[in-house]
């Protein structure tokens, strides 16, 4: 078997099945990443969502003992909605980040990776493959960088010259020694726009992220958010695109090449108030197919309450009062109390003093104390 011919065939097939970019990388240990991850761990900069075993994250041979190469793929996703619904005073809306528009990309990429695996298997029956997308052990970004898909920007995203950073990444470790491609030269240069624009200072410096401060991570947590982050989250329901949107390399990059990635505006930018009253079943029916629903309804509802406070939406007061007094989840009750403190007038807030007497959860009681103290 001529491996160079097979590589060409795989590249052609990849483009035929809608893979926008493909590259090949060696399976050497990702030593630079390994040092960085240990440093991140020591500094407490990890989110907790990532694979905890740093050796596995950086050594492909621990995932496939006979590993000889890694195939990296990228699929471009849209950055603009074709019809953006209006965010009006009476009908406030939240926003899901672009990586949560359309069908959950994990499904789309797994389908393409599986097709590539099958294509190779038909030609090389002894091939061994291990595929992963996002939640796998390897860093999709480190693989993509090594495979020449793009460079690693100061915003920690992989930036491709063709599609900017609006690409989903996935990879296959194989036991076929495909010849590796060359990495792309980094082009950030003296630009620092993403670091300067980050609302929480999560980009500690170019290429170094403190996940514990990153809004993209915070929107996915389930507990109480610290006040400093509540005021910075704005109307983001899931994820944060700020450091991608300010990037000059993303200017004019908006690709609509995969029908399943097209956003439904009512899901990608949904009305906030209906979210407060949604049953689990309704939530699953409406949002279950998007990647931003993976943590369930609670964080999205908590973020919707924060967004309503951000807009000071007085029309949401009855819903917020109901949540503050009746919802079984302390995080929702407490966040609703906080939101009422931001929106409601002095007289309405006095009613909270009565509601407080029925509250028993210590965290929610702290929220009551803070609001009641603020009205004097
Ligand atoms: Fe900052 Fe948002 Fe980028 Fe996170 S995703 S680093 S919060 S700009
Ligand atoms: Fe690089 Fe500038 Fe883009 Fe940040 S905003 S990733 S520094 S090009």
């Amino acid at each position: 078997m001529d491996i160079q011919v097979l590589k060409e065939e795989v590249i052609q097939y990849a483009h035929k099945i809608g893979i926008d970019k493909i590259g090949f990388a060696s399976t050497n240990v990702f030593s630079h990443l390994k040092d960085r991850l240990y440093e991140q761990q020591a500094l407490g900069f990890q989110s907790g969502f990532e694979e905890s075993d740093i050796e596995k994250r950086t050594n492909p041979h621990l995932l496939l003992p006979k590993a000889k190469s890694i195939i990296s793929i990228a699929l471009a996703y849209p950055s603009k909605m074709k019809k953006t619904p209006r965010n009006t005073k009476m009908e406030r809306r939240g926003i899901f980040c672009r990586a949560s528009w359309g069908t959950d990309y994990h499904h789309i990429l797994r389908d393409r990776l599986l097709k590539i695996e099958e294509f190779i298997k038909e030609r090389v029956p002894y091939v061994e493959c291990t595929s992963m997308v996002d939640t796998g052990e390897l860093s999709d970004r480190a693989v993509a960088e090594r495979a020449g898909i793009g460079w690693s920007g100061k915003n920690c995203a992989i930036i491709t010259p063709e599609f900017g950073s609006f690409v989903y990444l996935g990879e296959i470790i194989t036991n076929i020694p495909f010849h590796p491609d060359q990495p792309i030269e980094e082009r950030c240069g003296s630009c620092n726009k993403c670091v300067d624009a980050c609302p929480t200072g999560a980009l500690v410096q170019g290429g170094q992220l403190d996940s514990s401060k990153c809004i993209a991570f915070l929107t996915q947590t389930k507990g109480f958010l610290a006040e400093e982050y509540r005021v910075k989250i704005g109307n983001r329901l899931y994820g944060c695109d700020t450091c991608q949107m300010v990037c000059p390399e993303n200017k004019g990059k908006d690709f609509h090449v995969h029908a399943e990635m097209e956003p439904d505006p009512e899901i990608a930018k949904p009305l906030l108030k209906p979210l407060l009253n949604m049953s689990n079943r309704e939530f699953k029916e409406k949002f279950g197919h998007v990647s931003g629903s993976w943590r369930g309804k609670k964080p999205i509802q908590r973020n919707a309450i924060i967004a309503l406070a951000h807009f000071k939406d007085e029309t949401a007061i009855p819903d917020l009062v109901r949540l503050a007094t009746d919802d079984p989840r302390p995080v929702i009750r407490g966040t609703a109390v906080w939101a009422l403190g931001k929106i409601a007038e002095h007289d309405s807030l006095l009613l909270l003093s009565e509601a407080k007497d029925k509250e028993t959860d210590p965290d929610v009681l702290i929220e009551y104390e803070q609001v009641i103290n603020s009205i004097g």
Side-chain angles (χ1 to χ4, degrees):
M1 179 193 48
D2 184 327
I3 292 173
Q4 191 54 30
V5 170
L6 180 63
K7 181 175 170 181
E8 286 306 320
E9 285 176 356
V10 170
I11 294 170
Q12 276 178 21
Y13 178 68
H15 291 138
K16 200 170 125 193
I17 60 169
I19 288 169
D20 298 307
K21 197 161 183 189
I22 181 166
F24 295 77
S26 78
T27 55
N28 297 339
V29 172
F30 290 85
S31 313
H32 181 62
L33 174 67
K34 189 167 153 178
D35 294 345
R36 202 152 46 79
L37 290 176
Y38 277 114
E39 189 191 336
Q40 293 280 99
Q41 198 176 55
L43 290 166
F45 284 179
Q46 293 185 318
S47 72
F49 290 149
E50 60 279 278
E51 162 67 51
S52 58
D53 186 336
I54 291 176
E55 298 299 319
K56 269 194 191 167
R57 289 188 73 192
T58 51
N59 185 352
H61 296 274
L62 295 178
L63 307 172
L64 187 74
K66 291 185 200 158
K68 293 273 175 13
S69 69
I70 314 175
I71 305 172
S72 172
I73 67 164
L75 270 72
Y77 60 86
S79 67
K80 292 196 177 90
M81 260 182 236
K82 284 186 178 152
K83 278 191 195 148
T84 311
R86 286 185 61 216
N87 185 0
T88 66
K89 207 171 171 198
M90 295 303 287
E91 298 214 299
R92 291 299 189 185
R93 291 175 182 272
I95 183 91
F96 281 75
C97 71
R98 286 156 181 78
S100 179
W101 290 1
T103 304
D104 186 338
Y105 68 93
H106 298 87
H107 302 310
I108 301 173
L109 267 84
R110 272 189 209 119
D111 169 76
R112 301 302 192 279
L113 292 167
L114 196 64
K115 284 192 167 107
I116 297 262
E117 279 192 28
E118 283 164 359
F119 180 86
I120 300 175
K121 248 176 215 151
E122 277 171 20
R123 282 147 188 82
V124 189
Y126 66 81
V127 70
E128 288 178 31
C129 298
T130 301
S131 296
M132 53 202 80
V133 181
D134 180 41
T135 52
E137 292 87 346
L138 281 188
S139 157
D140 302 328
R141 292 174 186 175
V143 175
E145 185 182 14
R146 185 182 279 178
I149 298 286
W151 77 92
S152 183
K154 289 184 190 173
N155 60 4
C156 299
I158 289 296
I159 307 178
T160 69
E162 303 87 345
F163 314 106
S165 59
F166 301 121
V167 283
Y168 296 126
L169 303 168
E171 59 274 339
I172 310 171
I173 311 174
T174 83
N175 61 344
I176 298 178
F178 287 115
H179 188 69
D181 294 320
Q182 286 305 306
I184 293 181
E185 205 180 318
E186 177 271 324
R187 285 204 215 154
C188 286
S190 59
C191 175
N192 209 40
K193 286 191 172 171
C194 51
V195 178
D196 296 339
C198 175
T200 58
L203 288 169
V204 181
Q205 56 177 328
Q208 188 176 33
L209 177 74
D210 179 350
S211 294
S212 68
K213 287 186 180 173
C214 175
I215 290 173
F217 159 71
L218 292 168
T219 56
Q220 301 175 53
T221 58
K222 292 186 175 178
F224 281 94
L225 282 181
E227 167 106 23
E228 61 174 307
Y229 299 125
R230 289 183 209 170
V231 293
K232 289 187 171 155
I233 202 169
N235 69 333
R236 298 175 184 91
L237 295 173
Y238 179 84
C240 168
D241 283 332
T242 300
C243 55
Q244 293 200 87
M245 294 313 288
V246 298
C247 178
E249 296 291 337
N250 280 337
K251 200 157 184 263
K253 300 285 198 288
D254 178 31
F255 289 86
H256 295 259
V257 281
H258 305 282
E260 63 268 60
M261 292 180 191
E262 283 306 316
D264 174 342
E266 291 300 328
I267 292 172
K269 205 177 168 191
L271 290 169
L272 290 169
K273 281 179 288 180
L275 273 170
L276 305 185
N277 299 307
M278 224 169 235
S279 68
N280 286 340
R281 210 185 59 165
E282 286 166 338
F283 180 79
K284 218 168 170 200
E285 271 170 19
K286 187 160 184 187
F287 296 99
H289 66 289
V290 302
S291 61
S293 70
W294 79 284
R295 296 280 284 166
K297 188 178 70 167
K298 189 163 80 168
I300 304 290
Q301 282 187 323
R302 178 203 59 192
N303 301 341
I305 295 168
I306 293 170
L308 287 162
H310 163 75
F311 289 124
K312 296 202 185 311
D313 186 347
E314 290 180 6
T315 69
I317 290 176
D319 281 327
L320 292 172
V321 169
R322 183 184 53 75
L323 290 177
T325 50
D326 293 347
D327 197 277
R329 300 159 297 177
V331 167
I332 298 297
R333 291 203 302 282
T335 309
V337 170
W338 172 81
L340 284 166
K342 296 280 166 211
I343 304 169
E345 296 290 328
H346 183 271
D347 288 350
S348 315
L349 288 176
L350 287 178
L351 294 173
L352 286 180
S353 307
E354 288 170 30
K356 178 178 169 247
D357 293 339
K358 294 187 190 135
E359 183 58 61
T360 55
D361 185 277
D363 291 327
V364 184
L365 282 168
I366 291 172
E367 301 292 336
Y368 271 108
E369 293 289 344
Q370 281 168 354
V371 173
I372 290 166
N373 287 344
S374 73
I375 58 174

